[in-house]
Amino acid sequence: MPDVSSARAGVLSKRALVTASHAVERAALAEGSGADTVVFALFQRLPYFEREREVYARIARTAAVTVVGMVDSGRPDLPHGVTPVLLRPDEGMAREWSVAVLSPTFGASVVAQDLDDVDPQATTVESARLFRGRWGLRRDEAYAEVVRLRDALGDRLPPAVRRKVGEVLASVEAPAAVDVESRAEAAIRHVAARLDETRSAAPPPGGPVDPETGLPTLAGITPWLGDATDTVPLGLVLVTVDDLTAVEHRHGNRIRMHTEQNIADLLRDGLRPLDRAVRLGPGEFLVVQPVVGPDELTDRSLRLERRLAALHATYPFVDLHPRTTTMLTRRRPLPLHTLRSRLRHVPATTLWPPSQGSLPIEPRSPAARGGGWFR
């Protein structure tokens, strides 16, 4: 498991970045800030911005410049005064979570890159996300980030916005109050750590479960999946057991229920706290594992087939004929129709959907570098 740090630099959890980003955004709204302030923010995807829409509407009413960048298929509907910049899915800034606030006397910033990795002990996909970056209430760092973002966005910024950003940069002349900055950072680190402790004790959100097996339904994992974005890759194992619909007719309701519970136990076995096993229908199940390699997912699929087929040797001695197939995807909603279509005829493995519109998924083993995959 990666070393998840709550420090201001290094590997940062999403919760740490949310706390730091909110502190920087509130600083932009502080009394006395306004016409000489510029704000840049990169949100990766529109659903993440929607949570902060009202905050940025308030910032844009007073700041000289408010720029928001994200990957989206069309020009998003942003609050008045917010300058949108559409990012390409394949450029580095599409993986970036950044907020930079700068005025002649103040600066604060959060800069992080999505690691395409998760904390396997987390309880939801979004809370598990890990980033590498830093945050701080330091004007020199904020100045450097505003310059970097202005230059990286280039001609995608309107000339009037670039001109105003240049004026604010030129107005930064007085020495920074380093002592005040350090003390403010120490206070925020303390508060963030206490908040993190409080939130970590909260139970994960839940949803509907299948009463026969205790497994969540597809609707039941919606709170766990989180925002409808393509930022976290998911490994899927689809499991079908053709005989389940006839088990009750042949053996009775009690035998059917016991068999279904045996199947659920096998599906849960070896899962990380972050993973989920789901019941889709009478004879259909799904295992969802965020950020796993193709070899690991294929091994789980084969192991499930073998163990499910061997249930005939375990009480209540029902002979089952399971089939499985696997997929690696970033798509939400989950592409179950495509996964089902691959169950009978399973071709060479591939990534679904193709990388356009998604962040690239790096292979996790030398064997995975030969292309996409399906089993």
Side-chain angles (χ1 to χ4, degrees), residues 27 29 108 115 135 201 219 318:
L29 289 168
L115 288 177
W135 63 269
V318 174

Side-chain angles (χ1 to χ4, degrees), residues 118-261:
V118 291
D119 172 7
Q121 301 302 313
T123 55
T124 67
V125 173
E126 281 297 322
S127 68
R129 297 173 67 201
L130 297 176
F131 300 78
R132 182 174 297 280
R134 69 177 188 276
W135 63 269
L137 303 181
R138 307 198 179 191
R139 196 185 60 184
D140 58 339
E141 291 180 358
Y143 185 100
E145 291 307 321
V146 168
V147 171
R148 178 182 68 87
L149 291 169
R150 179 199 62 181
D151 294 346
L153 296 175
D155 293 340
R156 286 180 280 185
L157 293 175
V161 169
R162 289 181 60 84
R163 183 171 59 253
K164 190 61 182 177
V165 171
E167 291 174 0
V168 173
L169 289 169
S171 69
V172 178
E173 297 176 345
V178 177
D179 181 60
V180 174
E181 293 174 339
S182 298
R183 292 174 185 271
E185 281 179 359
I188 290 177
R189 281 199 301 271
H190 173 74
V191 172
R194 298 302 294 269
L195 287 174
D196 197 51
E197 292 171 4
T198 303
R199 290 173 182 170
S200 63
V209 298
D210 170 45
E212 306 293 347
T213 62
L215 296 175
T217 65
L218 188 60
I221 65 169
T222 299
W224 170 79
L225 274 175
D227 292 302
T229 66
D230 59 3
T231 51
V232 180
L234 302 176
L236 308 179
V237 181
L238 180 66
V239 180
T240 62
V241 184
D242 294 336
D243 316 87
L244 272 184
T245 54
V247 167
E248 184 170 354
H249 296 297
R250 296 199 306 264
H251 303 289
N253 184 58
R254 184 175 62 85
I255 298 299
R256 174 190 61 78
M257 290 179 62
H258 199 110
T259 301
E260 290 174 345
Q261 289 163 5

Side-chain angles (χ1 to χ4, degrees), residues 6 19 32 54 56 70 118 174 180 187 212 239 255-256 269 274 293-294 298 332 336:
S6 61
T19 302
E54 180 54 35
Y56 278 82
M70 67 192 72
V118 291
V180 174
E212 306 293 347
V239 180
I255 298 299
R256 174 190 61 78
D269 186 44
L274 181 60
T298 299
R332 317 289 191 274
L336 296 180

Side-chain angles (χ1 to χ4, degrees), residues 313-335:
T314 304
Y315 180 82
F317 312 110
V318 174
D319 191 21
L320 301 176
H321 299 91
R323 292 173 300 144
T324 66
T325 189
T326 60
M327 178 186 289
L328 182 65
T329 185
R330 294 182 185 273
R331 178 169 291 179
R332 317 289 191 274
L334 300 177

